[in-house]
């Protein structure tokens, strides 16, 4: 079987191996991790005919420059408004190309999006932890962070000219300005003024942003009922409010329990899109009830199935 | 107020809350419900996450919804639940010597005890695994005797090594990662809660009891070497 070997010429912070994640282990303190934008990961893999949750490289706005040392492999790039340079070719990502020994590939952020996925026609070689190659960034367990001067290998590397070409940017890939939330589970800890402020004021994502979560700047949401709730399970998308009244949205590598009150929770089907909102960009929150949230999740799943199925007809 | 309360979490979970403050009764109810759901998971059930007084039930909104899961939980609550099986008893060796600890002297000073009395109190605690939380393998053990229960430090200490035995208030933890902590570092164990064994990746189950056993520095080093092989 053929192999392709890459040298990491330069990797920004937070570039890591991610796959479909390791759900079901929250009771052991382990969040699901996996791609910050799961739809983009699925899209990149599906464009190559891979299982949608196969391991890929998650590239942050720090960018990634790699050189192919040996072999050749077809790869897909999807997620955010990133750009690539590959030899003499350059352009927006959402593309499938083949890279060969001696060539370099440079992936840089563009005007929108935080995370881009580099999927390969083959298997990205990386350690498995608890059934998944996803990297749990705070511990480094799983597939691992990519560091400048390191290497990675693609096993069973294939060249697939039939898959090469531009991909159509899915209409739902771009982040939104308004995100749906379901209030609670601790909205009771907040005065009516804080609940109103959450839904009526814009919030700005701060630079305190990593795979665990992002802190928001906006109105102070001081809880009335101090911070004495016994620690309980939290989820990806929980909006927790610290003692200082600042909100943090928990993301893929979130801590699994917390004692801060959660004023509201992002609808899960919107969390991928939220992960592509840049630091310093504004967002607003809109409250919907649980029935509407379930309908939204089902509609979104149908739309995603359609977007992914269209890749097979290229 | 009716107990338990059902709180909605986005489109994919219910938080079932048995009390506002820590209580043994509420925690036992959490474990009973957890076991009942594990024995007969309703369609669309993904996972349940036990905490001190609440159970999070996560589900697939493409297959089910809050009302259906709430009904399944209500049925599980009124079932003639099998009596709680006592958890396993786990013995954990701890070295309290030299650089295995950094806070024994200060804990002693703040509690008015001698360092030996702090160690004796820690060894005498009746510990139970209440939940895993925060980070992979962080098992929260309640049962630290009141005589050595201190509030956490005002500022966390950085780069505390994995395997540290740390206490704050009534809680004790064995760290699994090198991380900052504001808890008091009183010892070090060769025991790995993240075992690295695929057939049993986490040493404890929620509900297990834990007994600490004192070992000297050479024994600690020998057990640490053995744990690596």
């Amino acid at each position: 079987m053929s192999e392709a070997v890459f040298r990491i010429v330069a990797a920004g912070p937070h570039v890591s191996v991610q796959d479909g994640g390791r759900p079901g282990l929250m009771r052991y303190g382990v969040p699901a991790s996996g791609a910050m934008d799961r739809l983009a990961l699925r899209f990149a893999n599906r464009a190559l005919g891979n299982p949608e949750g196969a391991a890929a490289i998650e590239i942050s706005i720090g960018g990634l420059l790699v050189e192919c040392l040996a072999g050749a492999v077809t790869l897909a790039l999807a997620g955010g408004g990133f750009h690539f340079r590959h030899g003499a070719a350059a352009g927006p990502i959402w593309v499938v190309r083949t890279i060969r020994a001696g060539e370099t590939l440079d992936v840089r952020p563009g005007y929108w999006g935080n995370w881009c996925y580099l999927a390969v026609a083959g298997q990205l070689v990386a350690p498995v932890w608890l059934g998944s190659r996803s990297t749990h960034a705070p511990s480094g367990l799983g597939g691992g962070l990519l560091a400048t001067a390191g290497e990675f290998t693609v096993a069973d590397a294939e060249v697939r000219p039939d898959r090469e070409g531009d991909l159509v940017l899915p209409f739902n890939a771009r982040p939104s300005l308004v995100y749906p939330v379901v209030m609670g589970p601790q909205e009771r800890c907040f005065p009516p003024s804080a609940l109103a402020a959450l839904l009526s004021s814009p919030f700005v994502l701060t630079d305190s942003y990593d795979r665990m979560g992002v802190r928001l700047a906006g109105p102070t949401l001081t809880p009335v009922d101090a911070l004495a709730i016994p620690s309980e399970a939290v989820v990806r998308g929980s909006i927790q409010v610290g003692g200082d009244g600042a909100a943090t949205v928990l993301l893929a590598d979130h801590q699994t329990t917390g004692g801060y009150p959660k004023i509201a929770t992002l609808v899960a089907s919107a969390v991928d899109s939220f992960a592509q909102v840049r630091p310093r960009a504004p967002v607003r929150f809109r409250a919907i009830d649980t029935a509407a949230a379930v309908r939204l999740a089902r509609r979104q799943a149908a739309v995603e199935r359609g977007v992914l199925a269209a890749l097979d007809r290229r | 107020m009716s107990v338990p309360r059902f709180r909605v979490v986005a489109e994919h979970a219910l938080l079932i809350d048995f009390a506002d403050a820590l209580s043994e009764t509420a925690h036992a109810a959490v474990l009973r419900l957890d076991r009942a759901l594990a024995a007969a998971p309703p369609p669309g059930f993904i996972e349940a996450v036990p905490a001190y007084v609440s159970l999070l039930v996560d589900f697939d909104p493409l297959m089910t919804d809050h009302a259906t899961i709430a009904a399944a939980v209500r049925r599980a609550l009124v079932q003639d639940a099998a009596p709680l099986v006592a958890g396993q008893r786990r013995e954990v060796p701890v070295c309290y010597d030299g650089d295995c600890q950094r806070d024994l002297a200060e804990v002693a000073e703040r509690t008015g005890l001698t360092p030996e009395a702090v160690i004796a109190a820690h060894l005498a605690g009746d510990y139970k695994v209440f939940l895993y939380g925060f980070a992979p393998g962080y098992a929260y053990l309640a049962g630290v005797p009141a005589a050595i229960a201190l509030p956490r430090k005002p500022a966390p200490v950085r780069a505390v090594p994995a395997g540290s035995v740390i206490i704050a208030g009534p809680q004790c933890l064995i760290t699994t990662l090198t991380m900052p902590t504001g808890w008091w570092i009183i010892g070090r164990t060769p025991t790995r809660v993240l075992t690295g064994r695929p057939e049993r990746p986490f040493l404890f189950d929620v509900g297990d009891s834990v007994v600490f056993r004192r070992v000297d520095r050479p024994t600690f080093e020998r057990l640490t070497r053995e744990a690596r092989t």
Side-chain angles (χ1 to χ4, degrees), chain A residues 15-23 25 30-38 41 45 52-58 117 124-146 211 236 252-253, chain B residues 136:
Chain A
V15 177
S16 65
V17 177
Q18 296 296 337
D19 64 11
R22 54 176 73 78
L25 296 170
V30 181
S33 297
M36 291 285 275
D37 182 348
R38 291 162 289 195
L41 171 80
N45 275 320
E52 290 178 355
I57 295 172
E58 179 177 86
Y117 296 86
L124 186 62
V125 176
V128 174
W129 179 55
L130 301 174
S132 160
R133 291 188 167 80
S134 284
T135 309
H136 174 256
S139 66
L141 293 167
L145 288 161
L146 274 71
R211 285 184 44 87
R236 188 167 176 162
D253 288 344

Side-chain angles (χ1 to χ4, degrees), chain B residues 23-44:
Chain B
S23 95
E24 286 275 350
T25 324
H27 189 64
V30 168
L31 296 189
R32 262 198 308 277
L33 177 59
D34 184 36
R35 282 171 207 213
L37 290 173

Side-chain angles (χ1 to χ4, degrees), chain A residues 27 184-186 188 229-235 262, chain B residues 1-10 12-21 23 25-38 42 45-59 65-78:
Chain A
R27 63 168 52 237
Q186 277 94 35
R188 69 185 185 283
I229 61 167
S231 277
E232 62 181 23
V234 297
V235 299
K262 274 69 69 183
Chain B
M1 176 194 94
S2 68
V3 171
R5 284 156 306 186
F6 290 68
R7 307 191 192 283
V8 296
V9 181
H12 60 94
L14 272 181
L15 185 69
I16 297 112
D17 204 343
F18 288 87
D20 285 326
S23 95
T25 324
H27 189 64
V30 168
L31 296 189
R32 262 198 308 277
L33 177 59
D34 184 36
R35 282 171 207 213
L37 290 173
F45 172 89
I46 295 177
E47 66 180 313
V49 190
Y52 288 109
V53 296
S54 64
L55 186 75
L56 181 88
V57 179
D58 197 36
F59 59 83
D65 58 22
H66 300 81
T68 312
I69 292 291
V73 166
R74 283 199 190 89
R75 282 194 300 277
L77 284 168
V78 296

Side-chain angles (χ1 to χ4, degrees), chain B residues 98-208:
Chain B
D99 64 354
C100 285
Q101 54 81 23
R102 54 182 295 162
D103 295 330
L104 262 184
E106 194 170 345
V107 172
E109 193 184 310
R110 286 173 183 250
T111 55
L113 299 171
T114 62
E116 276 303 316
V118 171
I119 294 168
H122 183 248
L123 288 166
D126 179 15
Y127 300 97
K128 198 177 120 188
V129 180
F130 266 69
L131 73 154
Y132 280 93
F134 182 60
Y138 270 58
Y140 285 73
L141 314 177
V144 173
I148 56 167
L150 289 177
R152 66 185 62 189
K153 299 172 191 172
V157 175
R158 296 179 67 84
V160 175
S164 293
V165 176
I166 61 179
I167 57 171
Q171 304 186 104
C172 180
L173 251 175
I174 299 166
T175 66
T176 60
L177 310 169
T178 300
M179 272 199 169
T181 183
W183 292 28
W184 303 92
I185 305 150
I186 60 166
R188 185 100 74 90
T189 176
T191 299
R192 295 287 170 259
V193 183
L194 294 179
T195 62
R197 298 202 316 264
E199 78 286 1
R200 190 176 176 84
F202 304 94
L203 182 64
F204 306 129
D205 284 317
V206 170
D208 283 356

Side-chain angles (χ1 to χ4, degrees), chain B residues 202-223:
Chain B
F202 304 94
L203 182 64
F204 306 129
D205 284 317
V206 170
D208 283 356
S209 61
V210 174
V211 177
F212 291 106
R213 173 171 64 86
R214 186 175 190 175
V215 296
D216 60 16
R217 185 66 199 233
T219 310
F220 167 77
E221 280 166 10
R222 178 174 57 76
L223 292 172

Side-chain angles (χ1 to χ4, degrees), chain A residues 7-297:
Chain A
R7 184 170 69 92
I8 302 159
V9 181
H14 309 302
V15 177
S16 65
V17 177
Q18 296 296 337
D19 64 11
R22 54 176 73 78
L25 296 170
M26 290 249 291
R27 63 168 52 237
Y28 297 109
V30 181
S33 297
M36 291 285 275
D37 182 348
R38 291 162 289 195
L39 178 60
L41 171 80
R42 293 166 69 195
F43 194 91
N45 275 320
R46 184 86 172 244
L48 296 169
N50 289 346
E52 290 178 355
I57 295 172
E58 179 177 86
I59 303 172
S60 70
I61 51 177
L64 179 69
L65 173 60
V66 297
E67 179 188 0
C68 184
L69 298 177
V73 66
T74 299
L75 49 84
L77 288 165
F82 285 60
H83 290 262
F84 77 91
R85 181 174 293 280
H86 173 204
I93 62 152
W94 301 89
V95 69
V96 176
R97 301 180 66 86
T98 296
I99 181 165
R100 296 184 161 79
E103 297 176 354
T104 58
L105 175 72
D106 194 4
V107 181
R108 295 285 173 89
Y111 292 113
W112 64 275
N114 294 317
W115 309 100
C116 152
Y117 296 86
L118 188 167
V120 293
Q123 277 93 49
L124 186 62
V125 176
V128 174
W129 179 55
L130 301 174
S132 160
R133 291 188 167 80
S134 284
T135 309
H136 174 256
S139 66
L141 293 167
L145 288 161
L146 274 71
T148 298
E151 285 190 3
F152 65 89
T153 299
V154 179
D156 304 338
E158 286 186 61
V159 172
R160 295 292 301 271
D162 57 316
R163 296 277 176 181
E164 288 173 24
D166 292 339
L167 302 170
V168 178
L169 177 72
F171 69 90
N172 55 346
R174 283 177 181 273
S176 170
L177 294 170
V178 183
Y179 280 91
V181 299
V182 173
M183 298 307 289
Q186 277 94 35
E187 73 278 27
R188 69 185 185 283
C189 296
F190 295 87
S193 60
L195 301 178
L198 178 76
L199 301 175
S200 60
S201 313
F203 288 79
V204 175
L205 278 70
T206 69
D207 291 317
S208 291
Y209 183 145
D210 60 21
R211 285 184 44 87
M212 293 182 74
V214 58
R215 198 175 149 94
L216 306 179
T220 302
L221 305 172
T222 311
V224 245
D225 193 357
L227 307 165
I229 61 167
S231 277
E232 62 181 23
V234 297
V235 299
R236 188 167 176 162
S238 290
I239 305 177
Q240 67 171 32
V241 179
D244 56 0
T248 294
V249 181
L250 302 184
L251 297 171
D253 288 344
H254 64 87
Q255 61 203 63
T256 56
T257 58
Y260 291 121
K262 274 69 69 183
I263 190 169
T265 310
L266 271 184
V267 170
S269 62
V271 177
D272 290 341
S273 160
F274 182 82
Q276 295 289 14
V277 179
R278 279 268 174 93
R280 302 181 198 184
V283 290
R284 287 176 177 272
F285 298 110
R286 173 174 64 92
I288 60 176
D289 65 22
T290 52
V294 168
R295 282 197 302 276
L296 184 65

